Amino acid sequence: KNEVEQSPQNLTAQEGEFITINCSYSVGISALHWLQQHPGGGIVSLFMLSSGKKKHGRLIATINIQEKHSSLHITASHPRDSAVYICAASGGSQGNLIFGKGTKLSVKP
Amino acid sequence: IAGITQAPTSQILAAGRRMTLRCTQDMRHNAMYWYRQDLGLGLRLIHYSNTAGTTGKGEVPDGYSVSRANTDDFPLTLASAVPSQTSVYFCASSDSRFPYGYTFGSGTRLTVV
């Protein structure tokens, strides 16, 4: 079993829909990261959170430390949101991130 | 602009050749990492360095070496490239002080033929 599990693996939505991507982890963490990667592109850090909720524009990230679960929400989705979203836990013994396999999001106009 | 610079952006390399991927950061982060990204496997740690002068092995270190002569630079060397090292390589750094922000380079796409 992977230490960081994401669901769904693939997600297709219509423009304007509310989107939720889930992440569960089994390791102890100091922080949970949400990353975005566009096709052929680099990796951008969206959020780093260790408790509660953070919001940036149409993106919202929440974490429940007791349940070891985090969610990334996108409100009023847009085709430019199409990307792979990766959940990663700061919990590696070398200070490294432990990554989920990613969720490929496609938003159709 | 603060961040991480990786070079080259992409490279096609003959098997058996030696190759160094360069990574430079200007944020004075203590920790630096090399990851490889492969379809279906996600991102995996190759080597890491928690501070200048120290390095360690990650999950998939075989065939790779690193050095950390100073805070800014963390090159990754493939001594004798093999086709299984075809991948996208990302360098990253993190701040050892709260809030432990993570920054990624733009990646190097390497094809070994």
Short mmCIF file of all heavy atoms in Angstrom, two decimals, chain B residues 5-56:
data_model
loop_
_atom_site.label_atom_id
_atom_site.label_comp_id
_atom_site.label_asym_id
_atom_site.label_seq_id
_atom_site.Cartn_x
_atom_site.Cartn_y
_atom_site.Cartn_z
N THR B 5 17.27 26.75 -11.06
CA THR B 5 17.58 26.65 -12.48
C THR B 5 18.15 25.27 -12.77
O THR B 5 19.12 24.85 -12.11
CB THR B 5 18.60 27.71 -12.90
OG1 THR B 5 18.06 29.00 -12.63
CG2 THR B 5 18.90 27.60 -14.39
N GLN B 6 17.55 24.57 -13.72
CA GLN B 6 18.04 23.27 -14.15
C GLN B 6 18.53 23.37 -15.59
O GLN B 6 17.95 24.07 -16.41
CB GLN B 6 16.94 22.21 -14.10
CG GLN B 6 16.62 21.71 -12.71
CD GLN B 6 15.66 20.54 -12.74
OE1 GLN B 6 14.57 20.61 -12.19
NE2 GLN B 6 16.08 19.46 -13.39
N ALA B 7 19.58 22.63 -15.90
CA ALA B 7 20.09 22.58 -17.27
C ALA B 7 20.72 21.21 -17.51
O ALA B 7 21.30 20.63 -16.60
CB ALA B 7 21.11 23.68 -17.49
N PRO B 8 20.57 20.67 -18.74
CA PRO B 8 19.79 21.26 -19.83
C PRO B 8 18.30 21.03 -19.64
O PRO B 8 17.90 20.32 -18.73
CB PRO B 8 20.30 20.48 -21.04
CG PRO B 8 20.65 19.13 -20.49
CD PRO B 8 21.18 19.39 -19.11
N THR B 9 17.49 21.61 -20.51
CA THR B 9 16.05 21.40 -20.49
C THR B 9 15.71 20.01 -20.99
O THR B 9 14.82 19.34 -20.47
CB THR B 9 15.34 22.45 -21.35
OG1 THR B 9 15.70 23.75 -20.89
CG2 THR B 9 13.84 22.27 -21.29
N SER B 10 16.41 19.59 -22.01
CA SER B 10 16.22 18.24 -22.54
C SER B 10 17.52 17.77 -23.17
O SER B 10 18.38 18.58 -23.55
CB SER B 10 15.08 18.19 -23.55
OG SER B 10 15.40 18.96 -24.68
N GLN B 11 17.67 16.45 -23.27
CA GLN B 11 18.90 15.89 -23.80
C GLN B 11 18.63 14.48 -24.32
O GLN B 11 17.93 13.71 -23.65
CB GLN B 11 19.97 15.83 -22.71
CG GLN B 11 21.32 15.30 -23.13
CD GLN B 11 22.11 16.29 -23.94
OE1 GLN B 11 22.18 17.47 -23.63
NE2 GLN B 11 22.69 15.81 -25.01
N ILE B 12 19.20 14.19 -25.47
CA ILE B 12 19.22 12.81 -25.96
C ILE B 12 20.65 12.33 -25.81
O ILE B 12 21.59 12.98 -26.29
CB ILE B 12 18.75 12.73 -27.42
CG1 ILE B 12 17.31 13.21 -27.54
CG2 ILE B 12 18.87 11.29 -27.94
CD1 ILE B 12 16.79 13.31 -28.95
N LEU B 13 20.81 11.19 -25.16
CA LEU B 13 22.14 10.72 -24.76
C LEU B 13 22.34 9.29 -25.21
O LEU B 13 21.45 8.45 -25.05
CB LEU B 13 22.26 10.82 -23.23
CG LEU B 13 23.60 10.48 -22.59
CD1 LEU B 13 24.64 11.53 -22.95
CD2 LEU B 13 23.43 10.41 -21.08
N ALA B 14 23.50 9.00 -25.76
CA ALA B 14 23.81 7.63 -26.15
C ALA B 14 24.11 6.80 -24.90
O ALA B 14 24.78 7.28 -23.97
CB ALA B 14 25.00 7.61 -27.09
N ALA B 15 23.65 5.57 -24.91
CA ALA B 15 23.93 4.68 -23.79
C ALA B 15 25.43 4.54 -23.59
O ALA B 15 26.19 4.46 -24.56
CB ALA B 15 23.28 3.32 -24.04
N GLY B 16 25.83 4.50 -22.33
CA GLY B 16 27.24 4.39 -22.00
C GLY B 16 27.94 5.71 -21.78
O GLY B 16 29.04 5.75 -21.22
N ARG B 17 27.30 6.80 -22.21
CA ARG B 17 27.92 8.12 -22.05
C ARG B 17 27.71 8.65 -20.63
O ARG B 17 26.77 8.28 -19.94
CB ARG B 17 27.34 9.11 -23.05
CG ARG B 17 27.62 8.77 -24.50
CD ARG B 17 29.10 8.85 -24.82
NE ARG B 17 29.63 10.20 -24.69
CZ ARG B 17 29.68 11.07 -25.70
NH1 ARG B 17 29.21 10.76 -26.88
NH2 ARG B 17 30.21 12.27 -25.52
N ARG B 18 28.57 9.53 -20.23
CA ARG B 18 28.49 10.21 -18.94
C ARG B 18 27.75 11.53 -19.13
O ARG B 18 27.91 12.21 -20.13
CB ARG B 18 29.89 10.47 -18.41
CG ARG B 18 29.98 11.17 -17.06
CD ARG B 18 31.42 11.45 -16.72
NE ARG B 18 31.57 12.13 -15.45
CZ ARG B 18 31.72 11.53 -14.29
NH1 ARG B 18 31.73 10.21 -14.24
NH2 ARG B 18 31.86 12.23 -13.17
N MET B 19 26.93 11.87 -18.13
CA MET B 19 26.12 13.09 -18.26
C MET B 19 25.93 13.71 -16.89
O MET B 19 25.69 12.99 -15.92
CB MET B 19 24.74 12.74 -18.84
CG MET B 19 23.74 13.85 -18.85
SD MET B 19 23.97 14.93 -20.24
CE MET B 19 22.81 16.24 -19.89
N THR B 20 26.04 15.03 -16.81
CA THR B 20 25.77 15.73 -15.56
C THR B 20 24.60 16.68 -15.76
O THR B 20 24.64 17.53 -16.66
CB THR B 20 27.00 16.50 -15.06
OG1 THR B 20 28.04 15.57 -14.73
CG2 THR B 20 26.66 17.32 -13.83
N LEU B 21 23.59 16.52 -14.94
CA LEU B 21 22.46 17.44 -14.91
C LEU B 21 22.75 18.51 -13.85
O LEU B 21 23.08 18.17 -12.71
CB LEU B 21 21.16 16.70 -14.57
CG LEU B 21 20.83 15.46 -15.40
CD1 LEU B 21 19.46 14.93 -15.04
CD2 LEU B 21 20.93 15.74 -16.88
N ARG B 22 22.57 19.75 -14.26
CA ARG B 22 22.93 20.84 -13.34
C ARG B 22 21.70 21.39 -12.64
O ARG B 22 20.59 21.44 -13.20
CB ARG B 22 23.63 21.95 -14.12
CG ARG B 22 24.92 21.47 -14.80
CD ARG B 22 25.68 22.59 -15.47
NE ARG B 22 24.94 23.22 -16.54
CZ ARG B 22 24.86 22.75 -17.78
NH1 ARG B 22 25.45 21.61 -18.09
NH2 ARG B 22 24.19 23.41 -18.71
N CYS B 23 21.92 21.81 -11.41
CA CYS B 23 20.85 22.40 -10.60
C CYS B 23 21.45 23.48 -9.71
O CYS B 23 22.41 23.20 -8.96
CB CYS B 23 20.18 21.32 -9.74
SG CYS B 23 18.98 21.99 -8.57
N THR B 24 20.90 24.67 -9.81
CA THR B 24 21.37 25.80 -9.01
C THR B 24 20.19 26.53 -8.40
O THR B 24 19.21 26.79 -9.10
CB THR B 24 22.17 26.79 -9.86
OG1 THR B 24 23.30 26.13 -10.43
CG2 THR B 24 22.64 27.97 -9.03
N GLN B 25 20.28 26.83 -7.10
CA GLN B 25 19.22 27.59 -6.44
C GLN B 25 19.82 28.86 -5.81
O GLN B 25 20.99 28.90 -5.45
CB GLN B 25 18.52 26.72 -5.38
CG GLN B 25 19.46 26.13 -4.35
CD GLN B 25 19.30 26.67 -2.95
OE1 GLN B 25 18.60 27.64 -2.71
NE2 GLN B 25 19.94 26.01 -1.99
N ASP B 26 18.97 29.89 -5.72
CA ASP B 26 19.43 31.16 -5.16
C ASP B 26 18.63 31.58 -3.94
O ASP B 26 18.56 32.77 -3.61
CB ASP B 26 19.40 32.25 -6.24
CG ASP B 26 18.01 32.50 -6.78
OD1 ASP B 26 17.04 31.86 -6.30
OD2 ASP B 26 17.87 33.34 -7.69
N MET B 27 18.03 30.61 -3.27
CA MET B 27 17.20 30.91 -2.12
C MET B 27 17.90 30.59 -0.80
O MET B 27 17.30 30.75 0.27
CB MET B 27 15.89 30.11 -2.21
CG MET B 27 15.08 30.45 -3.45
SD MET B 27 13.76 29.27 -3.77
CE MET B 27 14.70 27.86 -4.34
N ARG B 28 19.13 30.11 -0.89
CA ARG B 28 19.90 29.73 0.30
C ARG B 28 19.21 28.64 1.11
O ARG B 28 19.38 28.55 2.32
CB ARG B 28 20.18 30.95 1.20
CG ARG B 28 20.78 32.14 0.49
CD ARG B 28 22.08 31.81 -0.19
NE ARG B 28 23.16 31.50 0.74
CZ ARG B 28 24.34 31.04 0.39
NH1 ARG B 28 24.62 30.80 -0.88
NH2 ARG B 28 25.27 30.78 1.30
N HIS B 29 18.46 27.77 0.41
CA HIS B 29 17.87 26.62 1.07
C HIS B 29 18.94 25.62 1.43
O HIS B 29 19.84 25.33 0.63
CB HIS B 29 16.84 25.95 0.16
CG HIS B 29 15.55 26.68 0.08
ND1 HIS B 29 14.54 26.29 -0.79
CD2 HIS B 29 15.07 27.76 0.74
CE1 HIS B 29 13.51 27.09 -0.64
NE2 HIS B 29 13.81 28.01 0.27
N ASN B 30 18.84 25.05 2.63
CA ASN B 30 19.83 24.07 3.05
C ASN B 30 19.66 22.74 2.34
O ASN B 30 20.63 22.08 1.98
CB ASN B 30 19.75 23.85 4.56
CG ASN B 30 20.38 25.00 5.34
OD1 ASN B 30 21.33 25.61 4.87
ND2 ASN B 30 19.85 25.29 6.50
N ALA B 31 18.42 22.30 2.18
CA ALA B 31 18.16 20.96 1.65
C ALA B 31 17.88 21.00 0.15
O ALA B 31 17.17 21.87 -0.35
CB ALA B 31 16.97 20.34 2.38
N MET B 32 18.45 20.03 -0.55
CA MET B 32 18.19 19.89 -1.99
C MET B 32 17.99 18.43 -2.32
O MET B 32 18.50 17.53 -1.63
CB MET B 32 19.35 20.46 -2.81
CG MET B 32 19.53 21.96 -2.61
SD MET B 32 20.73 22.71 -3.69
CE MET B 32 19.84 22.76 -5.25
N TYR B 33 17.23 18.19 -3.40
CA TYR B 33 16.80 16.83 -3.76
C TYR B 33 16.82 16.65 -5.26
O TYR B 33 16.61 17.61 -6.01
CB TYR B 33 15.36 16.58 -3.27
CG TYR B 33 15.10 16.99 -1.84
CD1 TYR B 33 14.69 18.28 -1.54
CD2 TYR B 33 15.25 16.08 -0.80
CE1 TYR B 33 14.45 18.66 -0.22
CE2 TYR B 33 15.01 16.46 0.51
CZ TYR B 33 14.62 17.75 0.79
OH TYR B 33 14.38 18.12 2.08
N TRP B 34 17.04 15.42 -5.68
CA TRP B 34 16.82 15.04 -7.07
C TRP B 34 15.76 13.95 -7.09
O TRP B 34 15.86 12.94 -6.37
CB TRP B 34 18.11 14.49 -7.71
CG TRP B 34 18.99 15.55 -8.26
CD1 TRP B 34 20.15 16.03 -7.74
CD2 TRP B 34 18.79 16.27 -9.48
NE1 TRP B 34 20.68 17.00 -8.55
CE2 TRP B 34 19.87 17.15 -9.64
CE3 TRP B 34 17.80 16.24 -10.47
CZ2 TRP B 34 20.00 18.01 -10.73
CZ3 TRP B 34 17.93 17.08 -11.56
CH2 TRP B 34 19.02 17.96 -11.68
N TYR B 35 14.75 14.18 -7.94
CA TYR B 35 13.68 13.20 -8.16
C TYR B 35 13.64 12.84 -9.63
O TYR B 35 13.98 13.66 -10.49
CB TYR B 35 12.32 13.79 -7.78
CG TYR B 35 12.13 14.16 -6.33
CD1 TYR B 35 12.36 15.46 -5.88
CD2 TYR B 35 11.71 13.21 -5.41
CE1 TYR B 35 12.17 15.80 -4.54
CE2 TYR B 35 11.52 13.55 -4.07
CZ TYR B 35 11.76 14.84 -3.66
OH TYR B 35 11.56 15.17 -2.34
N ARG B 36 13.18 11.64 -9.91
CA ARG B 36 12.84 11.28 -11.28
C ARG B 36 11.35 10.99 -11.35
O ARG B 36 10.76 10.47 -10.39
CB ARG B 36 13.66 10.10 -11.80
CG ARG B 36 13.53 8.81 -11.04
CD ARG B 36 14.36 7.69 -11.71
NE ARG B 36 13.77 7.26 -12.97
CZ ARG B 36 14.36 6.40 -13.81
NH1 ARG B 36 15.54 5.89 -13.52
NH2 ARG B 36 13.76 6.05 -14.93
N GLN B 37 10.76 11.36 -12.49
CA GLN B 37 9.33 11.18 -12.68
C GLN B 37 9.10 10.26 -13.86
O GLN B 37 9.51 10.57 -14.99
CB GLN B 37 8.63 12.52 -12.91
CG GLN B 37 7.11 12.39 -12.98
CD GLN B 37 6.44 13.74 -13.19
OE1 GLN B 37 6.93 14.57 -13.94
NE2 GLN B 37 5.30 13.95 -12.52
N ASP B 38 8.42 9.15 -13.61
CA ASP B 38 8.14 8.17 -14.64
C ASP B 38 6.65 7.87 -14.66
O ASP B 38 6.01 7.79 -13.60
CB ASP B 38 8.93 6.88 -14.38
CG ASP B 38 10.42 7.13 -14.36
OD1 ASP B 38 10.99 7.40 -15.42
OD2 ASP B 38 11.01 7.07 -13.25
N LEU B 39 6.12 7.66 -15.86
CA LEU B 39 4.69 7.40 -16.01
C LEU B 39 4.28 6.20 -15.19
O LEU B 39 4.90 5.14 -15.26
CB LEU B 39 4.39 7.18 -17.50
CG LEU B 39 2.93 7.21 -17.90
CD1 LEU B 39 2.35 8.60 -17.64
CD2 LEU B 39 2.76 6.83 -19.37
N GLY B 40 3.24 6.36 -14.41
CA GLY B 40 2.73 5.27 -13.59
C GLY B 40 3.45 5.07 -12.27
O GLY B 40 2.94 4.36 -11.39
N LEU B 41 4.61 5.67 -12.12
CA LEU B 41 5.39 5.50 -10.89
C LEU B 41 5.46 6.78 -10.07
O LEU B 41 5.88 6.75 -8.91
CB LEU B 41 6.81 5.03 -11.22
CG LEU B 41 6.89 3.67 -11.92
CD1 LEU B 41 8.34 3.38 -12.32
CD2 LEU B 41 6.36 2.56 -11.02
N GLY B 42 5.11 7.88 -10.66
CA GLY B 42 5.16 9.14 -9.95
C GLY B 42 6.59 9.62 -9.75
O GLY B 42 7.51 9.25 -10.48
N LEU B 43 6.78 10.44 -8.75
CA LEU B 43 8.08 11.02 -8.44
C LEU B 43 8.79 10.19 -7.38
O LEU B 43 8.22 9.86 -6.35
CB LEU B 43 7.90 12.45 -7.93
CG LEU B 43 7.55 13.47 -9.00
CD1 LEU B 43 6.55 14.48 -8.50
CD2 LEU B 43 8.82 14.16 -9.49
N ARG B 44 10.05 9.87 -7.65
CA ARG B 44 10.83 9.06 -6.71
C ARG B 44 12.15 9.75 -6.40
O ARG B 44 12.79 10.31 -7.30
CB ARG B 44 11.08 7.66 -7.29
CG ARG B 44 9.80 6.84 -7.47
CD ARG B 44 10.12 5.48 -8.09
NE ARG B 44 10.57 5.61 -9.47
CZ ARG B 44 11.10 4.62 -10.18
NH1 ARG B 44 11.28 3.44 -9.63
NH2 ARG B 44 11.45 4.82 -11.42
N LEU B 45 12.57 9.66 -5.17
CA LEU B 45 13.78 10.33 -4.71
C LEU B 45 15.03 9.56 -5.13
O LEU B 45 15.14 8.36 -4.86
CB LEU B 45 13.74 10.47 -3.18
CG LEU B 45 14.92 11.16 -2.53
CD1 LEU B 45 14.95 12.64 -2.91
CD2 LEU B 45 14.84 11.02 -1.01
N ILE B 46 15.96 10.26 -5.75
CA ILE B 46 17.22 9.64 -6.19
C ILE B 46 18.30 9.86 -5.13
O ILE B 46 18.88 8.92 -4.58
CB ILE B 46 17.68 10.22 -7.54
CG1 ILE B 46 16.60 10.08 -8.60
CG2 ILE B 46 18.96 9.51 -7.99
CD1 ILE B 46 16.92 10.84 -9.88
N HIS B 47 18.62 11.12 -4.88
CA HIS B 47 19.59 11.51 -3.87
C HIS B 47 19.11 12.80 -3.21
O HIS B 47 18.31 13.53 -3.78
CB HIS B 47 20.97 11.75 -4.49
CG HIS B 47 21.72 10.52 -4.84
ND1 HIS B 47 22.32 9.71 -3.89
CD2 HIS B 47 22.00 9.97 -6.05
CE1 HIS B 47 22.93 8.71 -4.51
NE2 HIS B 47 22.75 8.84 -5.81
N TYR B 48 19.67 13.06 -2.04
CA TYR B 48 19.32 14.28 -1.34
C TYR B 48 20.56 14.83 -0.64
O TYR B 48 21.58 14.14 -0.49
CB TYR B 48 18.21 14.03 -0.32
CG TYR B 48 18.65 13.14 0.83
CD1 TYR B 48 19.11 13.68 2.03
CD2 TYR B 48 18.62 11.76 0.71
CE1 TYR B 48 19.52 12.87 3.06
CE2 TYR B 48 19.04 10.93 1.73
CZ TYR B 48 19.48 11.49 2.91
OH TYR B 48 19.90 10.68 3.93
N SER B 49 20.43 16.09 -0.22
CA SER B 49 21.49 16.72 0.57
C SER B 49 20.84 17.65 1.57
O SER B 49 20.10 18.55 1.18
CB SER B 49 22.44 17.50 -0.34
OG SER B 49 23.31 18.31 0.42
N ASN B 50 21.07 17.43 2.84
CA ASN B 50 20.45 18.26 3.87
C ASN B 50 21.23 19.54 4.14
O ASN B 50 20.69 20.50 4.71
CB ASN B 50 20.27 17.47 5.16
CG ASN B 50 19.14 16.47 5.05
OD1 ASN B 50 18.17 16.69 4.33
ND2 ASN B 50 19.26 15.34 5.74
N THR B 51 22.51 19.55 3.74
CA THR B 51 23.32 20.74 3.91
C THR B 51 24.56 20.60 3.05
O THR B 51 24.93 19.47 2.67
CB THR B 51 23.69 20.97 5.38
OG1 THR B 51 24.30 22.25 5.54
CG2 THR B 51 24.64 19.90 5.88
N ALA B 52 25.20 21.70 2.75
CA ALA B 52 26.42 21.65 1.94
C ALA B 52 27.45 20.72 2.59
O ALA B 52 27.66 20.75 3.79
CB ALA B 52 27.00 23.05 1.77
N GLY B 53 28.03 19.86 1.73
CA GLY B 53 29.05 18.93 2.20
C GLY B 53 28.54 17.56 2.57
O GLY B 53 29.32 16.65 2.82
N THR B 54 27.20 17.39 2.59
CA THR B 54 26.62 16.09 2.92
C THR B 54 25.63 15.67 1.85
O THR B 54 24.92 16.51 1.28
CB THR B 54 25.89 16.12 4.28
OG1 THR B 54 24.71 16.93 4.16
CG2 THR B 54 26.77 16.66 5.37
N THR B 55 25.60 14.38 1.56
CA THR B 55 24.63 13.83 0.62
C THR B 55 24.15 12.48 1.13
O THR B 55 24.80 11.86 1.98
CB THR B 55 25.22 13.65 -0.79
OG1 THR B 55 26.28 12.70 -0.73
CG2 THR B 55 25.73 14.96 -1.35
N GLY B 56 23.03 12.02 0.60
CA GLY B 56 22.50 10.74 0.99
C GLY B 56 21.73 10.09 -0.14
O GLY B 56 21.35 10.76 -1.11
#
